[in-house]
Amino acid sequence: MQLRHVFSELRQGLRRNLSMHVAVVLTLFVSLTLVGLGILLNSQAQKTEEYFGSQLQATIYLCNGQRGEVGCVGPVSDAEKQAVIKAIEGNKYVKDWYEESQQVAYDRSKELMGDNFRISSPEAMHSSIWVTMKDPRDYERVVSSVQTLPGVHSVFTAKDILDPIYSTIDAFKYGSLGIGAFLILAALLLVANTIRLAAFARRREIGIMRLVGASSLYISLPFLLEALVTAIIGVALASGALGAFMWFGIHEKLRESLVFMPWVDFPDYLQAVAWLAVIGPLLTVLPTLVLTRKYLKV
Amino acid sequence: MIRFEKVVKTYPGQTRAALEQVSVDIEKGEFVFLVGQSGSGKSTFLRLILREYRPTSGKVHVAGKEINRLASWKVPRLRRQIGTVFQDFRLLQNKTVAENVGFALQVIGKSRSQINRLVPETLELVGLEGKADRLPDELSGGEQQRVAIARAFVNRPMILIADEPTGNLDPTSSIGIMKLLDRINRTGTTVLMATHDASIVDQMRKRVIELEDGRVVRDESRGIYGNQN
């Protein structure tokens, strides 16, 4: 097979259909960037969940007898506290637990808040029981078993803070994947149109090639290479855009301002780019294979 | 070289057969005219040889192969043994004469050295030496048809199919083309030519197969265009 001819056809094809190829590249670029963002956000959600999930504890605050406490009728009695502890120990989802006295709570809060600490005595603090679950996702089962027991003031888990963060990440993830999917559909249609136009523009050459006995592969190779070239450019642009997002968005901004969070890193970026490097060529080469069989049938 | 055995071809959606029980045997090295009115089945006959279609029933043998059973991927190999020439030349206007002829070799993977040897040789055979660098629209109709014949013959096929090759040419150019096809036939190539040109058929006195409504109504070894009876 003469590659010289194939590459000269490829060059001509790219030039002849330049505007269509640019449209395919741009659509691929935007759709792959969105898909890549979706993949990165998915990694981010997993990282956040793993990090906070492993630290997730439920804190059961016990009544301290202060006036105006909702759900309390005076300070927790020993019998009530023992009932709570019994309920925790009997709960199969609990990994371990420890008790924090009013004095310890007072000291820790004072240390944490420094000059802003306004509480006058340990009696104003709640004694509490800190429970670690075997699986953080089971926190509801632990909370519900103690929430209504007498002497329990309230139950708090970090989930209450994290849930909105998770749903925001999820919204962005599904949003970018959804829009990406629509754009991928647009890219597929553009690829189909490009092939149709290219096959029409080359109908005379193709007709002669068929007559003189050129193989199907030989006839469709320039089309497949064109599809591959547009995919490679689309993937390269999308990888560049994701790289810029990683550097300027994550590395320079979010990582600096929200230091306590674990952020997606270079390996996650590489993973997303690897996905794009598979999806991009599939998006252009597969329909080209199908359509060249249809339009260039020998 | 070409054998049709009780061939029937009905196109999808049509009730009338384009070819009806056609049985024909064309030997290696024969020169055959295929005549008949428009719609008589000449094009279908030629297209079946090129395996553009499969027959609805019956068998078509070309160059020793039964084309009904020929797998699609083997069709290009069959077509390399058949040269084809059309009334409208079908040249690539942006390529020179030599490039047009070389294109047929290039796309079947012949080496540059083979192309450099075979193209000038074939251009000389068709009488176009010295015009290798011309573009098709710088040539007369007769010359353009010679380029098309050179392209069809450059791979030295066993069969040359010509579909109305003189249909767009003046009588003088037509005679030149017929002389050329005759010369190619003398090299041992089987030539099958569909035509409406009565004077050419009458002058050449070659085998004539006449089709009418998809049936062979006449097959004479040294025939003329119209029926002699």
Side-chain angles (χ1 to χ4, degrees), chain A residues 1-2 4-5 204-205 208-216 218 298, chain B residues 76 79-80 84 86 90-92 103 106-108 110-112 115 151:
Chain A
M1 189 176 285
Q2 280 201 358
R4 195 166 52 93
H5 168 74
R204 200 168 256 270
E205 278 100 328
I208 293 166
M209 284 197 246
R210 289 172 52 199
L211 267 182
V212 300
S215 65
S216 298
Y218 192 88
V298 173
Chain B
R79 290 192 184 147
R80 289 175 199 184
T84 318
F86 296 95
R90 299 197 188 174
L91 299 177
L92 300 172
F103 185 70
Q106 203 177 30
V107 300
I108 59 169
K110 296 280 183 195
S111 70
R112 197 193 281 234
I115 297 172
R151 184 179 63 196

PDB file of all heavy atoms in Angstrom, chain A residues 1-2 4-5 204-205 208-216 218 298, chain B residues 76 79-80 84 86 90-92 103 106-108 110-112 115 151:
ATOM      1  N   MET A   1       0.840  -1.202   0.000  1.00  0.00           N
ATOM      2  CA  MET A   1       0.000   0.000   0.000  1.00  0.00           C
ATOM      3  C   MET A   1       0.878   1.256   0.000  1.00  0.00           C
ATOM      4  O   MET A   1       1.850   1.318   0.744  1.00  0.00           O
ATOM      5  CB  MET A   1      -0.884  -0.019   1.238  1.00  0.00           C
ATOM      6  CG  MET A   1      -1.923   1.051   1.212  1.00  0.00           C
ATOM      7  SD  MET A   1      -3.002   0.930   2.624  1.00  0.00           S
ATOM      8  CE  MET A   1      -4.008  -0.474   2.202  1.00  0.00           C
ATOM      9  N   GLN A   2       0.539   2.176  -0.885  1.00  0.00           N
ATOM     10  CA  GLN A   2       1.351   3.391  -0.949  1.00  0.00           C
ATOM     11  C   GLN A   2       0.881   4.421   0.053  1.00  0.00           C
ATOM     12  O   GLN A   2      -0.148   5.068  -0.116  1.00  0.00           O
ATOM     13  CB  GLN A   2       1.255   3.962  -2.356  1.00  0.00           C
ATOM     14  CG  GLN A   2       2.161   3.235  -3.326  1.00  0.00           C
ATOM     15  CD  GLN A   2       2.450   4.090  -4.521  1.00  0.00           C
ATOM     16  OE1 GLN A   2       1.950   5.210  -4.641  1.00  0.00           O
ATOM     17  NE2 GLN A   2       3.261   3.590  -5.418  1.00  0.00           N
ATOM     18  N   ARG A   4       2.252   7.178   0.682  1.00  0.00           N
ATOM     19  CA  ARG A   4       2.405   8.527   0.134  1.00  0.00           C
ATOM     20  C   ARG A   4       1.045   9.044  -0.354  1.00  0.00           C
ATOM     21  O   ARG A   4       0.641  10.159  -0.059  1.00  0.00           O
ATOM     22  CB  ARG A   4       3.395   8.476  -1.039  1.00  0.00           C
ATOM     23  CG  ARG A   4       3.944   9.805  -1.491  1.00  0.00           C
ATOM     24  CD  ARG A   4       5.139   9.548  -2.397  1.00  0.00           C
ATOM     25  NE  ARG A   4       4.811   8.617  -3.469  1.00  0.00           N
ATOM     26  CZ  ARG A   4       4.391   8.999  -4.680  1.00  0.00           C
ATOM     27  NH1 ARG A   4       4.230  10.250  -4.962  1.00  0.00           N
ATOM     28  NH2 ARG A   4       4.130   8.098  -5.612  1.00  0.00           N
ATOM     29  N   HIS A   5       0.337   8.169  -1.079  1.00  0.00           N
ATOM     30  CA  HIS A   5      -0.973   8.551  -1.618  1.00  0.00           C
ATOM     31  C   HIS A   5      -1.964   8.787  -0.480  1.00  0.00           C
ATOM     32  O   HIS A   5      -2.714   9.762  -0.487  1.00  0.00           O
ATOM     33  CB  HIS A   5      -1.494   7.465  -2.552  1.00  0.00           C
ATOM     34  CG  HIS A   5      -2.935   7.638  -2.911  1.00  0.00           C
ATOM     35  ND1 HIS A   5      -3.363   8.595  -3.777  1.00  0.00           N
ATOM     36  CD2 HIS A   5      -4.047   7.006  -2.469  1.00  0.00           C
ATOM     37  CE1 HIS A   5      -4.668   8.540  -3.887  1.00  0.00           C
ATOM     38  NE2 HIS A   5      -5.118   7.582  -3.097  1.00  0.00           N
ATOM     39  N   ARG A 204     -15.830  11.101  -7.448  1.00  0.00           N
ATOM     40  CA  ARG A 204     -15.219  10.685  -8.708  1.00  0.00           C
ATOM     41  C   ARG A 204     -13.994   9.791  -8.447  1.00  0.00           C
ATOM     42  O   ARG A 204     -13.878   8.706  -8.995  1.00  0.00           O
ATOM     43  CB  ARG A 204     -14.802  11.933  -9.495  1.00  0.00           C
ATOM     44  CG  ARG A 204     -14.600  11.680 -10.949  1.00  0.00           C
ATOM     45  CD  ARG A 204     -14.475  12.991 -11.687  1.00  0.00           C
ATOM     46  NE  ARG A 204     -15.687  13.317 -12.405  1.00  0.00           N
ATOM     47  CZ  ARG A 204     -15.918  12.942 -13.673  1.00  0.00           C
ATOM     48  NH1 ARG A 204     -15.019  12.223 -14.315  1.00  0.00           N
ATOM     49  NH2 ARG A 204     -17.017  13.263 -14.286  1.00  0.00           N
ATOM     50  N   GLU A 205     -13.115  10.292  -7.547  1.00  0.00           N
ATOM     51  CA  GLU A 205     -11.924   9.496  -7.194  1.00  0.00           C
ATOM     52  C   GLU A 205     -12.331   8.137  -6.625  1.00  0.00           C
ATOM     53  O   GLU A 205     -11.784   7.109  -6.982  1.00  0.00           O
ATOM     54  CB  GLU A 205     -11.088  10.200  -6.110  1.00  0.00           C
ATOM     55  CG  GLU A 205     -10.168  11.270  -6.612  1.00  0.00           C
ATOM     56  CD  GLU A 205     -10.777  12.635  -6.396  1.00  0.00           C
ATOM     57  OE1 GLU A 205     -12.030  12.727  -6.465  1.00  0.00           O
ATOM     58  OE2 GLU A 205     -10.027  13.595  -6.186  1.00  0.00           O
ATOM     59  N   ILE A 208     -13.535   5.763  -9.240  1.00  0.00           N
ATOM     60  CA  ILE A 208     -12.429   5.200 -10.031  1.00  0.00           C
ATOM     61  C   ILE A 208     -11.660   4.173  -9.201  1.00  0.00           C
ATOM     62  O   ILE A 208     -11.309   3.095  -9.683  1.00  0.00           O
ATOM     63  CB  ILE A 208     -11.499   6.332 -10.535  1.00  0.00           C
ATOM     64  CG1 ILE A 208     -12.262   7.195 -11.538  1.00  0.00           C
ATOM     65  CG2 ILE A 208     -10.236   5.754 -11.163  1.00  0.00           C
ATOM     66  CD1 ILE A 208     -11.612   8.503 -11.849  1.00  0.00           C
ATOM     67  N   MET A 209     -11.429   4.512  -7.928  1.00  0.00           N
ATOM     68  CA  MET A 209     -10.701   3.578  -7.064  1.00  0.00           C
ATOM     69  C   MET A 209     -11.416   2.235  -6.993  1.00  0.00           C
ATOM     70  O   MET A 209     -10.803   1.183  -7.057  1.00  0.00           O
ATOM     71  CB  MET A 209     -10.555   4.163  -5.658  1.00  0.00           C
ATOM     72  CG  MET A 209      -9.500   5.240  -5.566  1.00  0.00           C
ATOM     73  SD  MET A 209      -9.040   5.513  -3.854  1.00  0.00           S
ATOM     74  CE  MET A 209      -9.624   7.122  -3.600  1.00  0.00           C
ATOM     75  N   ARG A 210     -12.750   2.291  -6.862  1.00  0.00           N
ATOM     76  CA  ARG A 210     -13.529   1.051  -6.784  1.00  0.00           C
ATOM     77  C   ARG A 210     -13.393   0.262  -8.077  1.00  0.00           C
ATOM     78  O   ARG A 210     -13.200  -0.950  -8.068  1.00  0.00           O
ATOM     79  CB  ARG A 210     -15.001   1.364  -6.541  1.00  0.00           C
ATOM     80  CG  ARG A 210     -15.276   1.889  -5.140  1.00  0.00           C
ATOM     81  CD  ARG A 210     -16.694   2.370  -5.021  1.00  0.00           C
ATOM     82  NE  ARG A 210     -17.650   1.357  -5.464  1.00  0.00           N
ATOM     83  CZ  ARG A 210     -18.897   1.595  -5.811  1.00  0.00           C
ATOM     84  NH1 ARG A 210     -19.362   2.818  -5.762  1.00  0.00           N
ATOM     85  NH2 ARG A 210     -19.685   0.631  -6.200  1.00  0.00           N
ATOM     86  N   LEU A 211     -13.471   1.003  -9.210  1.00  0.00           N
ATOM     87  CA  LEU A 211     -13.421   0.319 -10.507  1.00  0.00           C
ATOM     88  C   LEU A 211     -12.106  -0.372 -10.755  1.00  0.00           C
ATOM     89  O   LEU A 211     -12.062  -1.456 -11.327  1.00  0.00           O
ATOM     90  CB  LEU A 211     -13.635   1.349 -11.622  1.00  0.00           C
ATOM     91  CG  LEU A 211     -15.049   1.527 -12.104  1.00  0.00           C
ATOM     92  CD1 LEU A 211     -15.065   2.531 -13.233  1.00  0.00           C
ATOM     93  CD2 LEU A 211     -15.614   0.194 -12.595  1.00  0.00           C
ATOM     94  N   VAL A 212     -11.009   0.287 -10.359  1.00  0.00           N
ATOM     95  CA  VAL A 212      -9.705  -0.305 -10.676  1.00  0.00           C
ATOM     96  C   VAL A 212      -9.266  -1.308  -9.615  1.00  0.00           C
ATOM     97  O   VAL A 212      -8.198  -1.891  -9.728  1.00  0.00           O
ATOM     98  CB  VAL A 212      -8.610   0.776 -10.895  1.00  0.00           C
ATOM     99  CG1 VAL A 212      -8.987   1.679 -12.041  1.00  0.00           C
ATOM    100  CG2 VAL A 212      -8.358   1.561  -9.630  1.00  0.00           C
ATOM    101  N   GLY A 213     -10.096  -1.500  -8.576  1.00  0.00           N
ATOM    102  CA  GLY A 213      -9.827  -2.581  -7.636  1.00  0.00           C
ATOM    103  C   GLY A 213      -9.073  -2.173  -6.383  1.00  0.00           C
ATOM    104  O   GLY A 213      -8.363  -2.988  -5.805  1.00  0.00           O
ATOM    105  N   ALA A 214      -9.220  -0.892  -5.967  1.00  0.00           N
ATOM    106  CA  ALA A 214      -8.616  -0.497  -4.687  1.00  0.00           C
ATOM    107  C   ALA A 214      -9.421  -1.154  -3.565  1.00  0.00           C
ATOM    108  O   ALA A 214     -10.638  -1.289  -3.666  1.00  0.00           O
ATOM    109  CB  ALA A 214      -8.636   1.016  -4.537  1.00  0.00           C
ATOM    110  N   SER A 215      -8.734  -1.574  -2.511  1.00  0.00           N
ATOM    111  CA  SER A 215      -9.443  -2.265  -1.426  1.00  0.00           C
ATOM    112  C   SER A 215     -10.255  -1.263  -0.594  1.00  0.00           C
ATOM    113  O   SER A 215      -9.982  -0.059  -0.610  1.00  0.00           O
ATOM    114  CB  SER A 215      -8.445  -2.978  -0.522  1.00  0.00           C
ATOM    115  OG  SER A 215      -7.638  -2.033   0.108  1.00  0.00           O
ATOM    116  N   SER A 216     -11.224  -1.793   0.151  1.00  0.00           N
ATOM    117  CA  SER A 216     -12.071  -0.926   0.991  1.00  0.00           C
ATOM    118  C   SER A 216     -11.222  -0.171   1.996  1.00  0.00           C
ATOM    119  O   SER A 216     -11.443   1.013   2.248  1.00  0.00           O
ATOM    120  CB  SER A 216     -13.077  -1.765   1.767  1.00  0.00           C
ATOM    121  OG  SER A 216     -13.909  -2.416   0.888  1.00  0.00           O
ATOM    122  N   TYR A 218      -8.120   0.705   1.720  1.00  0.00           N
ATOM    123  CA  TYR A 218      -7.364   1.757   1.044  1.00  0.00           C
ATOM    124  C   TYR A 218      -8.245   2.977   0.785  1.00  0.00           C
ATOM    125  O   TYR A 218      -7.815   4.113   0.954  1.00  0.00           O
ATOM    126  CB  TYR A 218      -6.829   1.217  -0.281  1.00  0.00           C
ATOM    127  CG  TYR A 218      -5.807   2.109  -0.917  1.00  0.00           C
ATOM    128  CD1 TYR A 218      -4.467   1.987  -0.614  1.00  0.00           C
ATOM    129  CD2 TYR A 218      -6.198   3.099  -1.809  1.00  0.00           C
ATOM    130  CE1 TYR A 218      -3.535   2.816  -1.179  1.00  0.00           C
ATOM    131  CE2 TYR A 218      -5.263   3.934  -2.384  1.00  0.00           C
ATOM    132  CZ  TYR A 218      -3.930   3.788  -2.074  1.00  0.00           C
ATOM    133  OH  TYR A 218      -3.010   4.618  -2.630  1.00  0.00           O
ATOM    134  N   VAL A 298     -17.644  -1.097  -1.630  1.00  0.00           N
ATOM    135  CA  VAL A 298     -16.993  -1.533  -2.883  1.00  0.00           C
ATOM    136  C   VAL A 298     -17.939  -2.430  -3.682  1.00  0.00           C
ATOM    137  O   VAL A 298     -18.589  -3.275  -3.110  1.00  0.00           O
ATOM    138  CB  VAL A 298     -15.701  -2.309  -2.554  1.00  0.00           C
ATOM    139  CG1 VAL A 298     -15.135  -2.908  -3.817  1.00  0.00           C
ATOM    140  CG2 VAL A 298     -14.694  -1.384  -1.931  1.00  0.00           C
TER     141      VAL A 298
ATOM    142  N   PRO B  76     -12.295  -6.424  -4.965  1.00  0.00           N
ATOM    143  CA  PRO B  76     -11.240  -5.587  -5.553  1.00  0.00           C
ATOM    144  C   PRO B  76     -10.238  -6.400  -6.397  1.00  0.00           C
ATOM    145  O   PRO B  76      -9.825  -5.967  -7.461  1.00  0.00           O
ATOM    146  CB  PRO B  76     -10.563  -4.968  -4.335  1.00  0.00           C
ATOM    147  CG  PRO B  76     -11.628  -4.915  -3.302  1.00  0.00           C
ATOM    148  CD  PRO B  76     -12.441  -6.163  -3.529  1.00  0.00           C
ATOM    149  N   ARG B  79     -11.689  -7.064  -9.712  1.00  0.00           N
ATOM    150  CA  ARG B  79     -11.757  -5.862 -10.561  1.00  0.00           C
ATOM    151  C   ARG B  79     -10.385  -5.477 -11.114  1.00  0.00           C
ATOM    152  O   ARG B  79     -10.300  -4.754 -12.104  1.00  0.00           O
ATOM    153  CB  ARG B  79     -12.361  -4.706  -9.774  1.00  0.00           C
ATOM    154  CG  ARG B  79     -13.837  -4.953  -9.508  1.00  0.00           C
ATOM    155  CD  ARG B  79     -14.530  -3.737  -8.997  1.00  0.00           C
ATOM    156  NE  ARG B  79     -15.913  -4.068  -8.672  1.00  0.00           N
ATOM    157  CZ  ARG B  79     -16.598  -3.529  -7.700  1.00  0.00           C
ATOM    158  NH1 ARG B  79     -16.040  -2.601  -6.939  1.00  0.00           N
ATOM    159  NH2 ARG B  79     -17.845  -3.878  -7.477  1.00  0.00           N
ATOM    160  N   ARG B  80      -9.317  -5.941 -10.454  1.00  0.00           N
ATOM    161  CA  ARG B  80      -7.990  -5.644 -10.990  1.00  0.00           C
ATOM    162  C   ARG B  80      -7.737  -6.407 -12.288  1.00  0.00           C
ATOM    163  O   ARG B  80      -6.810  -6.108 -13.026  1.00  0.00           O
ATOM    164  CB  ARG B  80      -6.909  -6.002  -9.961  1.00  0.00           C
ATOM    165  CG  ARG B  80      -6.914  -5.035  -8.805  1.00  0.00           C
ATOM    166  CD  ARG B  80      -5.960  -5.406  -7.718  1.00  0.00           C
ATOM    167  NE  ARG B  80      -6.356  -4.716  -6.487  1.00  0.00           N
ATOM    168  CZ  ARG B  80      -5.685  -4.767  -5.362  1.00  0.00           C
ATOM    169  NH1 ARG B  80      -4.575  -5.456  -5.277  1.00  0.00           N
ATOM    170  NH2 ARG B  80      -6.116  -4.112  -4.300  1.00  0.00           N
ATOM    171  N   THR B  84     -12.146  -0.940 -17.201  1.00  0.00           N
ATOM    172  CA  THR B  84     -13.461  -0.414 -17.584  1.00  0.00           C
ATOM    173  C   THR B  84     -13.326   0.989 -18.197  1.00  0.00           C
ATOM    174  O   THR B  84     -12.609   1.831 -17.668  1.00  0.00           O
ATOM    175  CB  THR B  84     -14.391  -0.341 -16.355  1.00  0.00           C
ATOM    176  OG1 THR B  84     -14.212  -1.512 -15.583  1.00  0.00           O
ATOM    177  CG2 THR B  84     -15.838  -0.237 -16.756  1.00  0.00           C
ATOM    178  N   PHE B  86     -15.735   4.246 -19.918  1.00  0.00           N
ATOM    179  CA  PHE B  86     -17.110   4.762 -20.009  1.00  0.00           C
ATOM    180  C   PHE B  86     -17.225   5.825 -21.097  1.00  0.00           C
ATOM    181  O   PHE B  86     -16.234   6.406 -21.528  1.00  0.00           O
ATOM    182  CB  PHE B  86     -17.526   5.376 -18.674  1.00  0.00           C
ATOM    183  CG  PHE B  86     -17.577   4.367 -17.566  1.00  0.00           C
ATOM    184  CD1 PHE B  86     -16.490   4.195 -16.721  1.00  0.00           C
ATOM    185  CD2 PHE B  86     -18.690   3.574 -17.367  1.00  0.00           C
ATOM    186  CE1 PHE B  86     -16.517   3.267 -15.699  1.00  0.00           C
ATOM    187  CE2 PHE B  86     -18.732   2.640 -16.356  1.00  0.00           C
ATOM    188  CZ  PHE B  86     -17.642   2.479 -15.516  1.00  0.00           C
ATOM    189  N   ARG B  90     -14.637   9.796 -17.379  1.00  0.00           N
ATOM    190  CA  ARG B  90     -14.412   9.754 -15.925  1.00  0.00           C
ATOM    191  C   ARG B  90     -12.948   9.970 -15.539  1.00  0.00           C
ATOM    192  O   ARG B  90     -12.353   9.194 -14.796  1.00  0.00           O
ATOM    193  CB  ARG B  90     -14.922   8.441 -15.335  1.00  0.00           C
ATOM    194  CG  ARG B  90     -16.403   8.296 -15.578  1.00  0.00           C
ATOM    195  CD  ARG B  90     -17.048   7.275 -14.710  1.00  0.00           C
ATOM    196  NE  ARG B  90     -18.422   7.100 -15.172  1.00  0.00           N
ATOM    197  CZ  ARG B  90     -19.256   6.187 -14.715  1.00  0.00           C
ATOM    198  NH1 ARG B  90     -18.867   5.377 -13.758  1.00  0.00           N
ATOM    199  NH2 ARG B  90     -20.486   6.094 -15.176  1.00  0.00           N
ATOM    200  N   LEU B  91     -12.378  11.060 -16.055  1.00  0.00           N
ATOM    201  CA  LEU B  91     -10.994  11.387 -15.694  1.00  0.00           C
ATOM    202  C   LEU B  91     -10.997  12.365 -14.514  1.00  0.00           C
ATOM    203  O   LEU B  91     -11.979  13.073 -14.294  1.00  0.00           O
ATOM    204  CB  LEU B  91     -10.282  12.024 -16.887  1.00  0.00           C
ATOM    205  CG  LEU B  91     -10.182  11.144 -18.143  1.00  0.00           C
ATOM    206  CD1 LEU B  91      -9.525  11.925 -19.273  1.00  0.00           C
ATOM    207  CD2 LEU B  91      -9.397   9.866 -17.847  1.00  0.00           C
ATOM    208  N   LEU B  92      -9.904  12.382 -13.777  1.00  0.00           N
ATOM    209  CA  LEU B  92      -9.780  13.348 -12.681  1.00  0.00           C
ATOM    210  C   LEU B  92      -9.200  14.633 -13.274  1.00  0.00           C
ATOM    211  O   LEU B  92      -8.068  14.640 -13.762  1.00  0.00           O
ATOM    212  CB  LEU B  92      -8.877  12.782 -11.585  1.00  0.00           C
ATOM    213  CG  LEU B  92      -9.385  11.478 -10.966  1.00  0.00           C
ATOM    214  CD1 LEU B  92      -8.359  10.877 -10.025  1.00  0.00           C
ATOM    215  CD2 LEU B  92     -10.698  11.720 -10.234  1.00  0.00           C
ATOM    216  N   PHE B 103      -2.725   6.741 -11.395  1.00  0.00           N
ATOM    217  CA  PHE B 103      -3.642   6.633 -10.240  1.00  0.00           C
ATOM    218  C   PHE B 103      -4.181   5.211 -10.096  1.00  0.00           C
ATOM    219  O   PHE B 103      -4.267   4.670  -8.989  1.00  0.00           O
ATOM    220  CB  PHE B 103      -4.793   7.627 -10.460  1.00  0.00           C
ATOM    221  CG  PHE B 103      -5.769   7.718  -9.308  1.00  0.00           C
ATOM    222  CD1 PHE B 103      -5.386   8.291  -8.111  1.00  0.00           C
ATOM    223  CD2 PHE B 103      -7.065   7.233  -9.445  1.00  0.00           C
ATOM    224  CE1 PHE B 103      -6.289   8.381  -7.055  1.00  0.00           C
ATOM    225  CE2 PHE B 103      -7.966   7.326  -8.393  1.00  0.00           C
ATOM    226  CZ  PHE B 103      -7.577   7.902  -7.202  1.00  0.00           C
ATOM    227  N   GLN B 106      -1.431   3.274  -8.587  1.00  0.00           N
ATOM    228  CA  GLN B 106      -1.119   3.765  -7.239  1.00  0.00           C
ATOM    229  C   GLN B 106      -2.092   3.193  -6.204  1.00  0.00           C
ATOM    230  O   GLN B 106      -1.672   2.703  -5.163  1.00  0.00           O
ATOM    231  CB  GLN B 106      -1.262   5.284  -7.287  1.00  0.00           C
ATOM    232  CG  GLN B 106      -0.495   6.012  -6.243  1.00  0.00           C
ATOM    233  CD  GLN B 106      -0.661   7.515  -6.427  1.00  0.00           C
ATOM    234  OE1 GLN B 106      -1.682   8.004  -6.916  1.00  0.00           O
ATOM    235  NE2 GLN B 106       0.345   8.255  -6.042  1.00  0.00           N
ATOM    236  N   VAL B 107      -3.391   3.240  -6.524  1.00  0.00           N
ATOM    237  CA  VAL B 107      -4.392   2.854  -5.515  1.00  0.00           C
ATOM    238  C   VAL B 107      -4.498   1.343  -5.326  1.00  0.00           C
ATOM    239  O   VAL B 107      -5.200   0.896  -4.421  1.00  0.00           O
ATOM    240  CB  VAL B 107      -5.790   3.455  -5.812  1.00  0.00           C
ATOM    241  CG1 VAL B 107      -5.725   4.957  -5.843  1.00  0.00           C
ATOM    242  CG2 VAL B 107      -6.371   2.907  -7.098  1.00  0.00           C
ATOM    243  N   ILE B 108      -3.829   0.570  -6.180  1.00  0.00           N
ATOM    244  CA  ILE B 108      -3.806  -0.873  -5.901  1.00  0.00           C
ATOM    245  C   ILE B 108      -2.435  -1.274  -5.367  1.00  0.00           C
ATOM    246  O   ILE B 108      -2.093  -2.452  -5.297  1.00  0.00           O
ATOM    247  CB  ILE B 108      -4.218  -1.729  -7.119  1.00  0.00           C
ATOM    248  CG1 ILE B 108      -3.289  -1.486  -8.311  1.00  0.00           C
ATOM    249  CG2 ILE B 108      -5.662  -1.472  -7.502  1.00  0.00           C
ATOM    250  CD1 ILE B 108      -3.512  -2.495  -9.431  1.00  0.00           C
ATOM    251  N   LYS B 110       0.799  -0.484  -6.378  1.00  0.00           N
ATOM    252  CA  LYS B 110       2.002  -0.735  -7.193  1.00  0.00           C
ATOM    253  C   LYS B 110       3.110   0.249  -6.790  1.00  0.00           C
ATOM    254  O   LYS B 110       2.845   1.376  -6.391  1.00  0.00           O
ATOM    255  CB  LYS B 110       1.680  -0.538  -8.690  1.00  0.00           C
ATOM    256  CG  LYS B 110       0.662  -1.522  -9.222  1.00  0.00           C
ATOM    257  CD  LYS B 110       1.282  -2.872  -9.537  1.00  0.00           C
ATOM    258  CE  LYS B 110       0.221  -3.786 -10.144  1.00  0.00           C
ATOM    259  NZ  LYS B 110       0.616  -5.189 -10.168  1.00  0.00           N
ATOM    260  N   SER B 111       4.350  -0.224  -6.961  1.00  0.00           N
ATOM    261  CA  SER B 111       5.479   0.611  -6.534  1.00  0.00           C
ATOM    262  C   SER B 111       5.703   1.751  -7.524  1.00  0.00           C
ATOM    263  O   SER B 111       5.251   1.695  -8.669  1.00  0.00           O
ATOM    264  CB  SER B 111       6.739  -0.231  -6.435  1.00  0.00           C
ATOM    265  OG  SER B 111       7.148  -0.594  -7.738  1.00  0.00           O
ATOM    266  N   ARG B 112       6.443   2.759  -7.057  1.00  0.00           N
ATOM    267  CA  ARG B 112       6.695   3.916  -7.897  1.00  0.00           C
ATOM    268  C   ARG B 112       7.480   3.516  -9.163  1.00  0.00           C
ATOM    269  O   ARG B 112       7.242   4.041 -10.244  1.00  0.00           O
ATOM    270  CB  ARG B 112       7.480   4.950  -7.090  1.00  0.00           C
ATOM    271  CG  ARG B 112       7.445   6.340  -7.704  1.00  0.00           C
ATOM    272  CD  ARG B 112       8.469   7.197  -7.036  1.00  0.00           C
ATOM    273  NE  ARG B 112       7.975   7.676  -5.748  1.00  0.00           N
ATOM    274  CZ  ARG B 112       7.940   8.953  -5.415  1.00  0.00           C
ATOM    275  NH1 ARG B 112       8.363   9.863  -6.248  1.00  0.00           N
ATOM    276  NH2 ARG B 112       7.506   9.327  -4.243  1.00  0.00           N
ATOM    277  N   ILE B 115       5.144   2.047 -11.614  1.00  0.00           N
ATOM    278  CA  ILE B 115       4.314   3.106 -12.217  1.00  0.00           C
ATOM    279  C   ILE B 115       5.133   3.860 -13.265  1.00  0.00           C
ATOM    280  O   ILE B 115       4.661   4.112 -14.383  1.00  0.00           O
ATOM    281  CB  ILE B 115       3.773   4.056 -11.125  1.00  0.00           C
ATOM    282  CG1 ILE B 115       2.857   3.292 -10.178  1.00  0.00           C
ATOM    283  CG2 ILE B 115       3.035   5.249 -11.745  1.00  0.00           C
ATOM    284  CD1 ILE B 115       2.413   4.072  -8.958  1.00  0.00           C
ATOM    285  N   ARG B 151      -5.795   4.122 -18.761  1.00  0.00           N
ATOM    286  CA  ARG B 151      -5.997   3.864 -17.335  1.00  0.00           C
ATOM    287  C   ARG B 151      -6.597   2.464 -17.113  1.00  0.00           C
ATOM    288  O   ARG B 151      -6.219   1.752 -16.180  1.00  0.00           O
ATOM    289  CB  ARG B 151      -6.923   4.924 -16.731  1.00  0.00           C
ATOM    290  CG  ARG B 151      -7.096   4.773 -15.231  1.00  0.00           C
ATOM    291  CD  ARG B 151      -7.999   5.836 -14.660  1.00  0.00           C
ATOM    292  NE  ARG B 151      -9.352   5.720 -15.234  1.00  0.00           N
ATOM    293  CZ  ARG B 151     -10.260   6.670 -15.174  1.00  0.00           C
ATOM    294  NH1 ARG B 151      -9.966   7.821 -14.594  1.00  0.00           N
ATOM    295  NH2 ARG B 151     -11.451   6.496 -15.701  1.00  0.00           N
TER     296      ARG B 151
END
